[in-house]
Amino acid sequence: MSFSSLGLSAPLLKAVDEQGYTEPSPIQAQAIPAVIEGKDVMAAAQTGTGKTAGFVLPILERLASGPRVRSNQVRALVLTPTRELAAQVQDNADKYSRYTNLSSTVVFGGVKINPQMMAMRKGVDVLVATPGRLMDLHQQNAVKFDQLEVLVLDEADRMLDMGFIRDIKKILALLPKNRQNLLFSATFSDEIRDLAKGLVNDPVEISVTPRNTTAETVTQSIYTTDKRKKAPLLVSLIKENNWKQVLVFTKTKHGANRLSFHLEKQGITSAAIHGNKSQGARTRALEGFKNGDIQTLVATDIAARGIDISHLPFVVNYDLPHVAADYVHRIGRTGRAGAVGEAVSLVCNDDSAELFAIERLIQKLLPRKEHPEYKAVNAVPESKLDTRPIKAKKPKKPKKPKPAGEKTPNKGEHADGQRSSSKRRGNKPVGKNQRHKNVRKQKTKQPSSASS
């Protein structure tokens, strides 16, 4: 199958060809015709399968024959959970629309809002945005939705995980009801299906891979070691194997900073990327990593779904993630679009619970290796594959709001303000000093007269 058989016009086909793509991926082959036909789509695909082009290309095809966009208006809106992912999607839109008259731009927080307001003055055909900054721009009348034709929720499951559900609902209330809706997610969880009920109408449902599976093109393994040996082990692996481009994941921001500093001291160019970094610093780090100036990029999970680097060869889990599903998203940064990649995890005794959870999720025991110089003194327990199905967690019930004017009971009180029975009965032991005070009070107190 070729892209020309999917209903794309010559300008788009020329742009696709320049990117070096000849055959559509499974998600693209199913999603592109459905979107061009104007149908709502719910699509689940693991990261690295080309889903961004799966909605960008058909949206551009649809918009090419429509009316010219007016000032401050938007014709297609793509919502993403992270700044990095927003920039990646807009980069795709820019590349594929180069031989058309369509415009695109991206807006997100962490940078000045005025240039974004200026960019919206002429209107834009495709706007890629994070929810918070979009709401800010709308409140200042910089973005309007009268011309909106298509809405895309990209990485919808991640948006729910990051707590964007309220912002999403506020945005949906502002949009025209007569529109095309596209929902792309790594999984079809119960929460995603609940969101979809109020969003898509009679959707085409596409699922190209089983839930929580890793790409077959990614070679996975673990090195067992001790916690204090992880940093020197990573240095040895990079130098001995001559790894030129390595994405390393840590659990914490401070851990990312410390590891990046250690790698620099060992002569390995490195940069850290996480939520405490300014947007400018994050952008510079990504650019340096992409063009080869930076050998290792040390990241927290903020980057797990926002980094798109063609043919990234190596991903290292310096720390295993708390949530097993994040392992799938992390290693999905390599082995993208059919390319081969390698994912290595450094595992110590303290990581055994996370390791077992990951292996249960992906239903695969990860092959173990040891470096002769950094063997574990505290052995990592042997894995035994748990084949029991994983039950979905029930969402927490929201707390009932307290009626206005109701007093919060103090410790030891009932809701009616009365002291608990043990307090009323005086069961609390009386201290020695208090007994002396009571005796003195009784001596000084005058007896009352029966006739008074």
Side-chain angles (χ1 to χ4, degrees):
M1 180 183 289
S2 64
F3 280 98
S4 58
S5 65
L6 301 179
L8 298 175
S9 59
L12 294 179
L13 291 174
K14 184 178 179 181
V16 169
D17 184 62
E18 286 187 356
Q19 297 304 311
Y21 302 125
T22 55
E23 294 182 1
S25 67
I27 186 69
Q28 293 165 357
Q30 295 182 59
I32 290 175
V35 176
I36 290 177
E37 290 176 18
K39 296 178 180 178
D40 282 10
V41 170
M42 275 185 68
Q46 67 186 31
T47 186
T49 55
K51 63 181 176 58
T52 302
F55 63 79
V56 169
L57 285 170
I59 286 175
L60 295 173
E61 184 66 38
R62 293 204 68 201
L63 298 182
S65 58
R68 187 173 180 178
V69 67
R70 300 193 299 270
S71 176
N72 295 109
Q73 295 288 344
V74 178
R75 296 179 64 200
L77 173 63
V78 183
L79 291 177
T80 72
T82 66
R83 304 168 188 175
E84 284 74 24
L85 182 56
Q88 170 194 321
V89 173
Q90 198 278 330
D91 184 56
N92 274 261
D94 184 58
K95 288 177 180 176
Y96 293 132
S97 64
R98 65 176 54 183
Y99 299 112
T100 71
N101 294 321
L102 299 172
S103 59
S104 64
T105 194
V106 60
V107 296
F108 46 69
V111 295
K112 293 181 179 179
I113 196 171
N114 285 343
Q116 297 176 353
M117 295 175 68
M118 294 291 290
M120 288 302 305
R121 283 191 176 180
K122 292 182 179 180
V124 64
D125 293 293
V126 179
L127 176 64
V128 188
T130 52
R133 178 50 60 94
L134 182 67
M135 291 297 295
D136 293 340
L137 288 165
H138 180 267
Q139 288 169 2
Q140 299 192 44
N141 291 319
V143 176
K144 300 176 182 178
F145 303 111
D146 303 293
Q147 280 190 278
L148 188 81
E149 301 173 41
V150 187
L151 169 68
V152 183
L153 292 188
D154 191 18
E155 302 283 14
D157 52 336
R158 185 66 167 170
M159 279 199 271
L160 296 187
D161 291 343
M162 294 176 68
F164 284 132
I165 185 62
R166 288 186 177 179
D167 285 343
I168 291 172
K169 288 183 176 179
K170 288 179 182 178
I171 293 168
L172 293 178
L174 301 172
L175 307 181
K177 292 184 178 180
N178 185 23
R179 65 177 189 269
Q180 184 179 15
N181 301 288
L182 313 177
L183 187 151
F184 284 76
S185 174
T187 63
F188 282 159
S189 63
D190 294 337
E191 292 81 9
I192 289 295
R193 292 193 178 277
D194 287 341
L195 174 63
K197 287 177 183 178
L199 178 66
V200 293
N201 301 308
D202 190 25
V204 174
E205 192 167 310
I206 302 169
S207 184
V208 297
T209 52
R211 182 175 178 176
N212 293 322
T213 57
T214 53
E216 294 180 1
T217 54
V218 179
T219 302
Q220 302 171 65
S221 62
I222 65 173
Y223 276 84
T224 55
T225 188
D226 294 316
K227 190 172 184 178
R228 62 184 178 82
K229 298 176 183 176
K230 282 188 177 184
L233 171 58
L234 177 59
V235 172
S236 292
L237 289 175
I238 292 172
K239 290 185 175 181
E240 290 171 7
N241 296 294
N242 197 26
W243 291 350
K244 296 298 184 184
Q245 195 177 39
V246 191
L247 177 59
V248 184
F249 283 103
T250 62
K251 280 182 180 177
T252 66
K253 303 169 186 176
H254 295 302
N257 288 337
R258 286 195 301 269
L259 181 58
S260 181
F261 181 72
H262 177 77
L263 292 172
E264 284 280 349
K265 285 179 66 177
Q266 300 301 315
I268 299 170
T269 54
S270 177
I273 178 171
H274 50 69
N276 282 357
K277 294 284 186 179
S278 69
Q279 187 55 43
R282 286 158 64 171
T283 301
R284 289 191 297 272
L286 273 175
E287 286 303 313
F289 187 56
K290 286 181 179 181
N291 63 31
D293 292 339
I294 293 172
Q295 190 174 353
T296 60
L297 185 66
V298 186
T300 55
D301 282 305
I302 191 172
R305 301 195 192 192
I307 297 177
D308 184 23
I309 300 169
S310 299
H311 309 296
L312 174 66
F314 302 104
V315 168
V316 175
N317 289 298
Y318 185 84
D319 299 316
L320 291 182
H322 289 297
V323 180
D326 286 340
Y327 173 84
V328 178
H329 301 307
R330 285 182 177 188
I331 71 170
R333 295 303 100 198
T334 186
R336 298 173 70 83
V340 295
E342 184 174 350
V344 174
S345 300
L346 310 186
V347 180
C348 65
N349 182 275
D350 293 343
D351 302 323
S352 55
E354 287 88 348
L355 172 63
F356 298 159
I358 290 167
E359 292 177 326
R360 182 183 179 187
L361 180 74
I362 64 176
Q363 285 297 292
K364 183 189 298 183
L365 292 181
L366 297 174
R368 299 188 177 200
K369 298 179 181 180
E370 277 188 335
H371 191 287
E373 295 181 25
Y374 304 104
K375 292 182 179 180
V377 175
N378 300 309
V380 179
E382 288 297 322
S383 298
K384 185 177 180 181
L385 193 61
D386 188 343
T387 58
R388 293 175 299 168
I390 300 174
K391 294 182 180 179
K393 292 183 179 180
K394 293 183 179 179
K396 292 182 180 179
K397 292 183 179 180
K399 293 182 180 179
K400 292 182 179 180
K402 186 176 65 176
E406 183 178 318
K407 182 183 176 182
T408 302
N410 295 321
K411 185 177 181 181
E413 285 186 351
H414 296 299
D416 60 2
Q418 296 293 321
R419 301 295 294 177
S420 64
S421 58
S422 64
K423 302 297 182 184
R424 291 199 305 269
R425 292 170 187 165
N427 291 342
K428 184 177 180 180
V430 179
K432 183 178 179 180
N433 292 339
Q434 185 63 41
R435 287 201 299 270
H436 288 314
K437 288 180 182 178
N438 291 342
V439 170
R440 286 198 297 272
K441 285 182 180 178
Q442 288 174 358
K443 286 181 178 180
T444 57
K445 187 177 180 182
Q446 296 296 326
S448 58
S449 172
S451 61
S452 62

